[in-house]
Every structure is written in C-alpha cells, then in structure tokens.
C-alpha cells in the first residue's frame, strides 16, 4: 500500500467524486472498497506507462539502426522529385557519386549521367512515373571528380511504396532509387563475353572428339569426330583396343601406354600430344586427355577422355618462322599494294609497294573519308566506288568487295587499278577491319585498247564466219530433217511391205494347212510341202530384211528374261533335226559347266545361233555339225558365253573371210545360185552379238570345214530362277475337250484370212462369228457374249486398236481375251496392241498350232 499523503488525498477525492456520480445503492458501499479499486487502476496505469516508455526506447533504437542501415548500406538510396531533382540521398549514395550530401541535394540527378545516355535516362524516368511500376536500368555515370562507373538503378515510384498498388503514379510522383556500382560486374561480363567469343571461335576451328574404354571388356567407343581424325568409316566399330597401337607411332604408343597405366593406378588424369598414324597411313598429331571412371565402390570401370586434331598446329609451329619470312619477303617483293584499314579508327596501313608503285608513304594516318575519297580517287569514279565499297562494308552478309577505278599517284598522274578487299566482322556482323590488295593494271588496260584497235576488223570477220556457220548449220539441220523423214518413210515402207507380203502368205500357208488337214494323196502332200517350204523360205527372207532395218534404225530392243542355255541348244537341235536327218549328217551338242541363273534375250540368242547352225547344215554334205556353248568369263554380276558352230563342210577361202559379216554379202556370190540365201544371216548375228556386249568371228579351211563363233554378255542374279519349259500340250485336243461350243468372234477385212481362221476354228468344234471392220465388231460384241475375240489391226471404218478400246468399255468385256491378229511385225505395233487392252499378239502368217496354242493360253487364264 502506498503511504504517500498526496496520493491518499487524491484517492479520497476520486472516491468522493465517484460517490456523487453513482447511484444510491453504490454509495452505500464502504469507502475502503472504493479506495482499493482505485489503487488497482493506478497500478495498471503505471504498468501501461512503463510499457509505453520501453516501446518508445525500442522505437528510438530501431530508428537509429534504420538510419545506420540507410546511411551506411552497400547500396546508395536516393529520392527524386517529380522533376528528377535529388531530395534525399544516403551517405553510400553520396560516396558513389563522389560528392558531399549537401552538394547533391536539390541538384538534378541527370547531371551525374554521361551525356550520351541522358536522353535514355529521361525517357525511362518519364515511363516509370507514367506507368507507376518499378523498373531497372543500367547507365554509365559520372562521379564528382569526372571518373566513370557503371551503375544499376532500381527505381520504384513512391505511390507504389505507399499503397502497394501499381499504376497509382501521377505527374507529381516522386521516385525512390537504389543505386548500385556494377563496374566490376560489367568488367567480368565483358571478360566472360570475350572468353565465350574466343571459345566459340576455337570450337569452330578445332576438331574435338571423345572416347571411352570399358576396362572389363577392353571395348572402345569413339565419337564421330574421332573417326574423322583417323579417317575411318563411322558406320563401322572402331578398332579393338588390342590394335590401337597401330594408330600411333611406336614412340607415341609407348608414352600413351605408360600414361594409361599411371592413370589406372593413381587416378591422376593425363594430357599428351601424340603422333598418330591414320587409316591412309599418313601421319598426324593429336592432343589427348584421359581420366578414370570409377563405380560406387571406387573400382575403376573405364577410361574416358577427349582428343583434338592438332596436326595443322604442329605443322604451323614447325613452319612458322619460314612462313613469316616468306610472307615478309613476298610482301616486300610484290608489286601489289597490300592495305589494311582499321574501320573503327578510320586509319590505313600500306606495304612498301605503295611507295614503289604509287609514291605513297608506307603508313597513311589520314581518315579515309578525307584522304581516300577526297584526294586519291578520280572525281568521275569516286561516287560509284564509294557506293560499292560501303555497300559491302555495311551489309553483314557480304564479305568481299572489288572494283576497278582510276587512282591518283603521288606525282598527280592517275593509274588504272583493280582493288579487292575482305571484310572482318565481329559477332554482331559489324565491320571492324578490312584487308585488301590493289594492283596497277594501267599497262593491261592500255594493252586492251591496243588489242581492240588491232582487231576492229576481227569482229566483222567473226560475224561473217558466224553467219556462214549458221547457214551451214541450217543446211545440216535441213539435211538431218530430210534424213529423219527418209528414215521414217523407210520404216513405214518396210512395215507396209511386211503387211502386204505377210497377208497373202498367210492365205498361202493357211490354205495349204487346211488342205493337208482335210486329207490329201501322198503326191498332193508332197506338193503341199513344197508350197509350205517355199512360203517359209520367203518368210525368213522378209524377217531378215526387217530385222536388219530395225537394227540399223536403232529400233531393235532386247528383252531381259531367264535364259537356260541347255534348253536353247535343244530348241535349235529340234528345228534342225529333220534337215540333218535328210542329209545324213550327225548333229552334236557340247556344253561346259554353265550357270543357270542367267538373264538375256533367249529369242535373239536362238536366232543368232540358228543362223550359224542353218548355214553349217546348208554347206555340209557329209560329216558332222557341232554346237558348243562355253563359259568364257565370269564376274559377280555377269557371265560371258561363247557359242560355236563347227562343221565339216566346204570351207571358205581366206580372201572371202573379210566379207563374211557384211550385209547382203556371201563368201562367194556364186553360192547363191547353188545354195540360196540373202547374205543377211551373218550380218544380223554380228549386230545381235554386239548389242548383247559380244563379238563374232570365224575360222575356216577350204575343203575341211569351218568354225563360226559369237560371244554375248549375260547378266546374272542370285534369285533368278532357271527358265522353265512349258509342258507340251496338244492345244487342239484341249480346246475340243474343254471349250467345244464356245462362241468366238473373228474380225478381219481380208476375206481369205477371215475364211482361213473361220475354217480352222470350226474344225475344233467352236462357234465362230465374223466381222469385216472394227465398227461391226463393236456392235456384235454389244449384242453377243464371246469367249475370245481375234482382232485384225488395220481395217476400214474403225481399226482394231480403237475397236478394242471401245469393246473394253462394254459391260462384261473387261477381261475377255482379245488377240491381235496382224501382219505388222515391228515391236511398236505389238506395244500399241497391248496398250490398247489386247491380251496377246498373233503374227501373220501363222499355222494352226500357233493359233490353237495362243487361244488355249488366253481362255485358260483365271480372269479370262
């Protein structure tokens, strides 16, 4: 209890006042209770006062700490007015600006920014005020002593600080700034940028590869660059580790082996420069670095490292002195002016030729703009050269400039020069240097003028000569066109003659076959054989003429089909069997060990061999005729086969041998009267052999016999199967048994040919309709359903090709066999028929067996 009398009296007074203010029931309370309650309130007030006092002390302490932090912070703090005037700044800020605080206050902040960047600062300052958003800017600033430093300004509008709401700024908004000296950081960044630039350039120039060796398996893995260094194929695995010693010279391999062993034992990486042996046995140099690779238990599991090709560097080091000396002498001896222009400083340097050729001093320090363009280049050339020069300098994608102009020498005279420069650029594409060479071409230009003067009449002579040549070319072109037209006319004539001859021959051979099938006496049969033999002899003559004309016109195309040489020889033997038997000769077949997987044109091979064999039988009265097929040469892709036909005939004299393989020639023209023949067979064989990559030849002794041979080159495929022979089938019997009663349409405008086919088909129990032109054939196909159609090609109204196209459009006729029946024997005629939708090709004249075989083959097809 407090015994202070003043305090007791004040308590009583308070108690009495309370009694007056309280209701009557309260006044009845004892005075002692009231005094106690007031004492309690007094204690609470004193405790509150103490807390307030401590709070004020803490606040003062905190303010002092804040002032210390503010004043001595590592960052300068400033407050700028809306007019960019410094209103407040801490001591760090004053130190950074290099002035007393009193000298800074109420001064414009822009005065401490370098002049080149003040506009940037003012623009950013206005943007920060207008947007009311914090921003950062980097500027170059000036201290009070004039020194420079790089600064970062982190700016916050005062409205943002107060409200925490961006965008609240107005025209009177003040700015708070944190000012940081970033000079050291900028230097570090510049150094890093330069290092990165150097690294990037070195990576561009250097070829760096890497490798890894697995200790357990001794297997090595290379990167692609390492393959390039050694010249190995990247698609193949690298050489095994046991063969790596071959990749280095003995001395280098010994050093590498020692380093590898040491690295395995100690774990210390190694770095070496080693001489290598590349895949092409050339030597090079390589920088290698290796380290160990360990597992979680610390066991060495691999070695890995990097390698760089330093061959060029080694060579450069070896030859550096010689190269520098040669360059110095060359630069001194050359008559070309070598110049070097520093774009940034706008200065130039020249070699000694500048003095020797043009009278210049070696070093020219005048600015290019004043010295070069204003004084050196001829006024009439200056504008053009200036434009071309700076077009290259200011274009980042261009590197080379060149021009010719007149340049003033030291004595005031002008020289004709040819100038060329190469631009060096920094990583941004800006030019910083240009190196070039200028050559005095005055004498060359004068020589050009003299040459033009001496040869003024030459151009006229050349024009006249050109005109003469053009006239000659026109005549040659006209002659070529005429020759081509004559060749076309010749082909058309031969095709027409073939058609005109084959058509009646078809009637002759066809009627002879029909008469024989109807039954004749032995004498009549003999006469029919004579007719048939004569017709077929005439047909062989026509075929020879056509084949030769096609070969000469370049229209003979060879097939590529499976070739079985044993079957080919058997076919020839079968064809000659009757003639050989009639003459009492022996026909022998000899073959070597021949492959079966060959590709070629079996039809033309048989034709060439048959030409030889027919002649051998023709000119041999007694003895033997031997057919041989021998392997002459074999590669992975082809086989060269030599065919021989040896006889014991009359032989050929040496003087006649030279004419053997010429068209329309025989060894002795008198033979034609005795043996017959056109003299085309050997010529055709020679042309066929040459088309098949081979040659022909013959050896003969009069009265003893002859050996004729030819070679061909046949391609070879592993998957090529041997050609199979079609099983011998009696087509006539098959048709009678399987297709009797089927309806067939025959279309031909020749009555005789139409009658022959009609008779032959009806004899095998087929129902036959006929049409005399293509239009009638289309109409009949529209009305009837036919199992097959024989279609002549050349007919009035509508030819066979167009008729076939129309029939193919009729319902149900997409797959009905349509067989061309024509006397045109050229390959393009067959191709035209097949392209129109025909299924097969029957060449006139034909015998019944050929007719029945083709019909059976086509109607037997699954889609027929």
């Amino acid at each position: 209890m407090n015994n202070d009398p003043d305090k007791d009296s004040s308590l009583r007074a308070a108690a009495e006042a309370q009694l007056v203010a309280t209701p009557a029931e309260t006044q009845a309370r004892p005075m002692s209770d009231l005094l106690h309650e007031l004492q309690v309130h007094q204690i609470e007030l004193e405790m509150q006062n103490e807390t307030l006092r401590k709070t004020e002390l803490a606040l003062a302490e905190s303010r002092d700490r804040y002032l210390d932090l503010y004043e001595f912070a590592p960052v300068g703090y400033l407050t700028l007015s809306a007019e960019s005037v410094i209103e407040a700044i801490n001591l760090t800020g004053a130190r950074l600006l290099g002035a007393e605080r009193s000298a800074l206050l109420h001064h414009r902040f822009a005065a401490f920014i370098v002049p080149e960047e003040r506009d940037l600062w003012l623009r950013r300052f206005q943007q920060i005020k207008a947007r009311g958003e914090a921003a950062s800017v980097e500027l170059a600033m000036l201290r009070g002593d004039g020194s420079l430093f790089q600064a970062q300004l982190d700016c916050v509008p005062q409205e943002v600080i107060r409200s925490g709401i961006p965008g609240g700024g107005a025209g009177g908004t003040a700015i708070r700034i944190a000012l940081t000296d970033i000079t050291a950081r900028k230097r570090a960044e510049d150094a890093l940028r330069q290092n990165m630039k150097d690294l990037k350039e070195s990576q561009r120039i250097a070829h760096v590869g890497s490798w890894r060796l697995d200790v357990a398996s001794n297997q090595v893995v290379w990167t692609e660059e390492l393959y390039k260094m050694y010249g190995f194929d990247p698609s193949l695995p690298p050489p095994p580790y046991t063969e790596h010693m071959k990749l280095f010279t003995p001395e280098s391999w010994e050093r590498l082996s020692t380093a590898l062993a040491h690295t395995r034992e100690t774990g210390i990486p190694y770095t070496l420069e080693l001489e290598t042996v590349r895949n092409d046995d050339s030597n090079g140099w390589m920088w290698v670095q290796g380290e160990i690779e360990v597992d979680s238990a610390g066991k060495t599991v691999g070695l890995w490292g990097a390698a760089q090709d330093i061959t060029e560097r080694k060579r450069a080091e070896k030859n550096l002195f010689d190269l520098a000396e040669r360059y110095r002498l060359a630069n001194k001896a050359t008559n070309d002016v070598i110049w070097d222009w520093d774009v940034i400083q706008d200065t130039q340097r020249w070699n000694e030729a500048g003095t020797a050729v043009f009278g210049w001093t070696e070093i020219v320090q005048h600015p290019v703009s004043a010295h070069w363009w204003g004084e050196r280049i001829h006024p009439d050339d200056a504008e053009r050269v200036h434009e071309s020069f700076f077009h290259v300098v200011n274009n980042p994608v261009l590197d080379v400039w060149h021009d010719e102009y007149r340049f003033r020498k030291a004595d005031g005279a002008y020289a004709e020069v040819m100038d060329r420069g190469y631009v060096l650029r920094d990583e941004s594409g800006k030019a910083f240097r240009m190196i070039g060479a200028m050559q005095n071409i005055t004498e060359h230009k004068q020589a050009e003028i003299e040459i033009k003067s001496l040869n003024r009449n030459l151009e006229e002579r050349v024009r006249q000569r050109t005109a003469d040549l053009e006239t000659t070319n026109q005549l040659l072109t006209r002659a070529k066109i005429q020759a081509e037209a004559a060749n076309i006319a010749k082909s058309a004539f031969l095709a027409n003659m073939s058609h005109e001859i084959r058509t009646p021959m078809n009637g002759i051979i066809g009627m002879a076959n029909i008469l024989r099938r109807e039954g004749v006496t032995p004498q009549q049969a003999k006469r029919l054989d004579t007719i048939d033999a004569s017709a077929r002899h005439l047909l062989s003559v026509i075929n020879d003429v056509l084949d030769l004309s096609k070969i000469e016109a370049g229209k003979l195309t060879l097939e590529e089909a499976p070739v079985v040489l044993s079957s080919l020889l058997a076919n020839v033997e079968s064809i000659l069997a009757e003639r050989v038997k009639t003459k009492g000769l022996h026909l022998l077949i000899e073959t070597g060990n021949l492959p079966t997987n060959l590709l070629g044109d079996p039809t033309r091979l048989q034709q060439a061999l048959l030409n030889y064999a027919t002649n051998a039988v023709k000119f041999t009265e007694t003895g033997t005729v031997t057919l041989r097929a021998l392997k002459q040469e074999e590669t992975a892709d082809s086989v060269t086969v030599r065919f021989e036909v040896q006889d014991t005939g009359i032989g050929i004299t040496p003087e006649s041998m030279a004419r053997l393989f010429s068209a329309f020639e025989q060894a002795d023209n008198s033979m034609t009267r005795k043996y017959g023949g056109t003299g085309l067979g050997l010529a055709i064989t020679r042309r066929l052999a040459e088309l098949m990559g081979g040659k022909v030849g013959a050896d003969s002794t009069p009265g003893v016999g002859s050996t004729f041979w030819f070679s061909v080159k046949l391609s070879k495929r592993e998957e090529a199967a041997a050609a199979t022979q079609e099983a011998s089938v009696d087509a006539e019997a098959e048709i009678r048994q399987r297709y009797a009663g089927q309806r067939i349409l025959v279309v031909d405008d020749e009555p005789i040919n139409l009658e022959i086919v009609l008779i032959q088909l009806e004899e095998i129990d087929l129902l036959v309709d006929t049409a005399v032109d293509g239009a009638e054939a289309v109409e009949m196909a529209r009305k009837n359903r036919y199992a097959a159609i024989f279609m002549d090609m050349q007919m009035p109204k509508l030819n066979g090709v167009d008729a076939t196209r129309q029939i193919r459009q009729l319902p149900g006729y997409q797959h009905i066999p349509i067989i061309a029946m024509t006397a045109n024997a050229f390959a393009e005629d067959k191709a035209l028929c097949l392209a129109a939708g025909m299924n097969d090709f029957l060449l006139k004249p034909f015998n019944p067996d050929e007719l029945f075989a083709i019909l059976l083959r086509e109607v037997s097809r699954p889609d027929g």
Side-chain angles (χ1 to χ4, degrees):
M1 179 70 69
N2 194 339
N3 295 322
D4 188 351
D6 292 332
K7 184 175 289 187
D8 288 342
S9 59
S10 63
L11 290 172
R12 290 192 185 92
E16 291 174 352
Q18 187 173 2
L19 287 174
V20 175
T22 56
E25 62 269 20
T26 305
Q27 293 179 12
R29 293 173 60 191
M31 178 63 70
S32 60
D33 292 341
L34 295 173
L35 289 173
H36 179 267
E37 185 176 346
L38 288 173
Q39 288 175 346
V40 171
H41 286 303
Q42 180 65 31
I43 291 172
E44 290 176 351
L45 289 172
E46 288 177 353
M47 292 175 64
Q48 291 174 0
N49 288 335
E50 180 64 20
T51 300
L52 180 60
R53 185 181 65 80
K54 290 180 179 179
T55 300
E56 289 176 347
L57 289 174
L59 182 60
E61 210 170 43
S62 176
R63 182 172 59 251
D64 292 338
R65 284 198 303 272
Y66 168 77
L67 289 174
D68 288 342
L69 289 173
Y70 173 78
E71 294 291 349
F72 303 103
V75 178
Y77 292 112
L78 302 89
T79 300
L80 303 185
S81 68
E83 291 75 30
S84 188
V85 173
I86 302 175
E87 292 184 340
I89 185 169
N90 67 349
L91 291 177
T92 302
R95 179 178 54 79
L96 287 174
L97 295 180
E100 295 293 332
R101 181 162 26 199
S102 59
L104 297 172
L105 296 176
H106 310 301
H107 281 74
R108 290 191 174 275
F109 180 69
F112 298 94
I113 298 173
V114 295
E116 296 84 16
E117 298 189 2
R118 285 175 186 169
D119 289 341
L120 172 62
W121 160 248
L122 294 176
R123 287 196 303 272
R124 294 301 301 274
F125 183 78
Q126 296 299 328
Q127 290 173 358
I128 294 169
K129 288 199 307 174
R131 296 176 181 176
E133 296 177 354
S136 179
V137 61
E138 294 181 1
L139 298 170
M141 301 191 66
L142 290 166
R143 294 190 176 92
D145 60 0
S147 61
L148 295 174
F149 72 102
Q150 296 290 327
Q152 177 175 315
L153 282 65
D154 297 305
C155 308
V156 181
Q158 194 163 352
E159 295 293 331
V160 175
I161 297 173
R162 290 174 179 172
S163 64
I165 302 174
T173 300
I175 305 296
R176 297 276 181 89
I177 298 177
L179 178 65
T180 306
D181 185 352
I182 60 171
T183 303
R185 192 194 80 192
K186 281 291 187 181
R187 288 174 181 168
E189 289 177 353
D190 291 340
L192 179 61
R193 188 178 296 109
Q194 183 61 40
N195 289 339
M196 291 301 294
K197 178 181 177 183
D198 295 341
L199 178 60
K200 182 178 179 181
E201 180 66 14
S202 65
Q203 288 177 342
R204 184 183 71 82
I205 298 173
H207 300 287
V208 179
S210 60
W211 55 269
R212 184 184 183 277
L213 166 66
D214 184 82
V215 173
S217 63
N218 266 347
Q219 294 298 313
V220 181
V221 177
W222 286 359
T223 61
E224 185 175 354
E225 195 62 40
L226 206 56
Y227 278 96
K228 294 180 181 178
M229 292 183 196
Y230 280 114
F232 283 97
D233 184 353
S235 63
L236 301 176
Y241 180 66
T242 53
E243 297 183 9
H244 271 47
M245 63 181 300
K246 300 177 182 178
L247 304 179
F248 300 90
T249 61
E251 180 183 357
S252 292
W253 175 249
E254 184 177 354
R255 293 175 58 212
L256 178 59
S257 300
T258 303
L260 281 169
H262 184 263
T263 298
R264 286 190 178 187
E265 293 175 1
T266 64
I268 300 174
Y270 68 86
T271 301
L272 297 171
E273 291 185 356
L274 304 173
E275 188 173 6
T276 60
V277 180
R278 294 171 176 165
N279 193 32
D280 60 358
D281 293 331
S282 64
N283 282 35
W285 282 87
M286 186 182 295
W287 170 89
V288 295
Q289 184 178 59
E291 297 185 19
I292 65 170
E293 180 182 346
V294 297
D295 58 16
S296 58
K299 181 182 177 182
T300 300
V301 295
L303 293 168
W304 63 273
Q308 183 182 22
D309 190 345
I310 59 170
T311 304
E312 295 303 323
R313 195 201 78 193
K314 281 290 188 179
R315 291 173 180 168
E317 289 175 355
K318 181 180 178 181
N319 299 317
L320 183 60
F321 176 80
D322 292 341
L323 180 63
E325 182 66 13
R326 286 197 300 270
Y327 176 78
R328 186 186 68 82
L329 294 175
N331 199 15
K332 184 175 181 179
T334 182
N335 288 328
D336 293 348
V337 180
I338 309 300
W339 52 268
D340 186 345
W341 175 41
D342 187 327
V343 178
I344 307 302
Q345 302 297 325
D346 200 17
T347 58
Q348 298 163 322
R349 181 181 179 89
W350 316 90
N351 64 344
E352 296 177 3
T355 302
V357 178
F358 299 108
W360 301 332
T361 56
E362 184 179 359
I363 299 177
V364 181
Q365 295 291 349
H366 301 286
V368 173
S369 57
H371 181 76
W372 185 278
W373 311 108
E375 300 179 18
R376 292 296 186 183
I377 299 180
H378 194 285
D380 294 343
D381 299 338
E383 183 178 355
R384 173 181 57 79
V385 179
H386 183 277
E387 181 179 355
S388 70
F389 185 84
F390 283 99
H391 172 69
V392 174
V393 171
N394 296 327
N395 194 329
V397 301
L398 301 178
D399 295 324
V400 179
W401 165 81
H402 62 88
D403 209 336
E404 293 183 6
Y405 52 90
R406 287 165 290 179
F407 203 81
R408 186 173 62 84
K409 298 190 292 185
D411 60 4
Y414 283 95
E416 294 277 355
V417 298
M418 180 173 62
D419 204 354
R420 177 182 292 268
Y422 182 79
V423 184
L424 303 179
R425 303 183 185 276
D426 59 22
E427 60 183 6
S428 68
K430 184 178 179 180
F432 64 88
R433 190 178 179 187
M434 195 169 184
I435 300 173
M438 180 187 294
Q439 183 180 6
N440 188 346
I441 59 171
T442 303
E443 294 182 358
H444 174 73
K445 286 290 185 180
Q446 291 175 348
E448 283 184 352
I449 294 173
E450 292 176 0
I451 291 173
K452 289 179 181 179
S453 175
L454 292 173
N455 294 300
R456 284 173 184 170
N457 295 330
L458 179 60
E459 292 184 3
E460 181 60 31
R461 292 197 301 272
V462 169
R463 281 195 295 269
Q464 183 60 45
R465 180 59 176 163
T466 302
D468 294 342
L469 289 174
E470 289 178 354
T471 302
T472 303
N473 288 335
Q474 290 174 359
L475 294 174
L476 291 174
T477 302
R478 196 174 297 120
K480 180 182 177 182
I481 294 173
Q482 292 173 352
E484 291 175 349
N487 192 36
I488 293 172
K490 173 186 174 183
S491 298
F493 170 77
L494 289 172
N496 187 57
M497 288 302 297
S498 170
H499 181 272
E500 292 300 322
I501 295 173
R502 286 174 180 273
T503 299
M505 283 183 61
N506 189 53
I508 296 171
I509 295 175
M511 283 300 180
N513 282 310
I514 290 172
L515 289 174
R516 184 180 286 108
R517 292 170 65 87
E518 289 177 347
V520 293
T521 65
Q523 186 177 14
Q524 290 172 332
K526 185 175 181 181
R527 291 171 179 172
L528 288 174
D529 288 341
T530 302
I531 294 173
D532 186 69
S534 299
R536 294 197 177 279
H537 177 73
L538 180 59
L539 181 61
S540 68
V541 173
I542 296 170
N543 288 337
D544 286 347
V545 173
L546 288 176
D547 282 344
L548 189 63
S549 66
K550 284 189 282 188
I551 292 172
E552 291 179 344
K555 292 186 176 182
L556 183 68
T557 57
L558 298 176
E559 295 181 1
E560 189 172 70
V563 175
V564 179
L565 297 177
S566 58
S567 299
L568 187 147
L569 292 168
N571 289 344
V572 175
E573 181 183 19
S574 175
I575 294 170
L576 296 175
E578 188 63 32
R579 301 182 213 178
V580 170
K581 181 179 178 181
T582 301
K583 297 188 71 170
L585 302 175
H586 297 286
L587 183 61
L588 304 178
I589 305 295
E590 297 179 3
T591 60
N593 185 18
L594 298 171
T596 58
N597 57 337
L598 301 178
L599 292 175
D601 191 330
T603 302
R604 294 302 180 181
L605 278 174
Q606 180 172 302
Q607 179 184 358
L609 184 59
L610 193 58
N611 284 340
Y612 277 174
T614 302
N615 282 344
V617 172
K618 181 193 300 184
F619 295 112
T620 302
E621 298 301 330
T622 60
T624 60
V625 174
T626 305
L627 308 184
R628 296 190 186 93
L630 307 171
K631 182 173 67 175
Q632 192 173 36
E633 183 180 353
E634 183 174 4
T635 67
D637 301 322
S638 65
V639 175
T640 300
V641 180
R642 176 183 172 106
F643 294 91
E644 294 182 357
V645 177
Q646 184 178 5
D647 63 59
T648 56
I650 61 175
I652 304 170
T653 61
E655 58 270 17
S656 300
M657 292 288 289
R659 304 194 307 271
L660 274 181
F661 293 95
S662 300
F664 305 103
E665 290 281 357
Q666 290 189 338
D668 184 352
N669 289 333
S670 63
M671 292 181 182
T672 305
R673 295 189 295 272
K674 181 176 180 181
Y675 296 101
T678 61
L680 294 177
L682 296 181
I684 292 172
T685 297
R686 178 174 66 86
R687 302 290 182 88
L688 290 176
E690 290 171 350
L691 286 174
M692 290 185 275
K695 299 177 181 179
V696 297
D699 299 305
S700 184
T701 302
V704 176
S706 306
T707 300
F708 283 78
W709 62 267
F710 71 91
S711 63
V712 295
K713 188 174 185 180
L714 304 176
S715 59
K716 182 172 64 172
R717 291 191 308 189
E718 291 297 331
E719 66 273 16
T724 58
Q725 295 294 314
E726 293 185 3
S728 178
V729 176
D730 187 344
E732 179 179 348
E734 283 288 319
I735 294 174
R736 288 180 188 276
Q737 181 180 354
R738 296 167 54 187
Y739 300 102
Q742 295 285 337
R743 186 174 293 275
I744 307 294
L745 176 61
V746 180
V747 187
D748 200 320
D749 64 322
E750 287 288 339
I752 296 176
N753 290 334
L754 198 63
E755 182 181 1
I756 290 171
V757 179
L758 174 65
I759 294 172
Q760 291 174 343
L761 294 179
E762 285 182 341
E763 281 188 353
I764 57 174
D765 301 330
L766 296 175
L767 301 179
V768 182
D769 292 340
T770 60
V772 297
D773 59 54
E776 185 179 356
V778 174
E779 188 61 30
M780 294 183 69
R782 184 177 286 110
K783 295 177 180 179
N784 303 304
R785 173 75 175 182
Y786 294 105
I789 299 174
F790 286 92
M791 181 73 70
D792 188 27
M793 284 183 65
Q794 295 183 358
M795 294 182 293
K797 293 187 180 179
L798 188 68
N799 62 42
V801 172
D802 293 335
T804 298
R805 293 193 179 102
Q806 294 187 23
I807 291 174
R808 286 297 185 207
Q809 301 301 316
L810 297 177
Y813 275 94
Q814 285 74 22
H815 301 293
I816 295 299
I818 301 178
I819 302 166
M821 190 171 57
T822 178
N824 294 337
F826 285 89
E828 53 264 32
D829 298 314
K830 183 175 181 179
L832 181 62
C833 293
L834 298 178
M838 296 184 181
N839 300 86
D840 217 325
F841 192 87
L842 183 61
L843 182 63
K844 299 175 184 177
F846 51 82
N847 58 43
D849 292 337
E850 294 172 334
L851 174 68
F852 299 151
I854 288 179
L855 178 59
L856 177 62
R857 181 169 65 241
E858 293 304 324
V859 297
S860 300
R861 293 184 187 276
D863 58 352

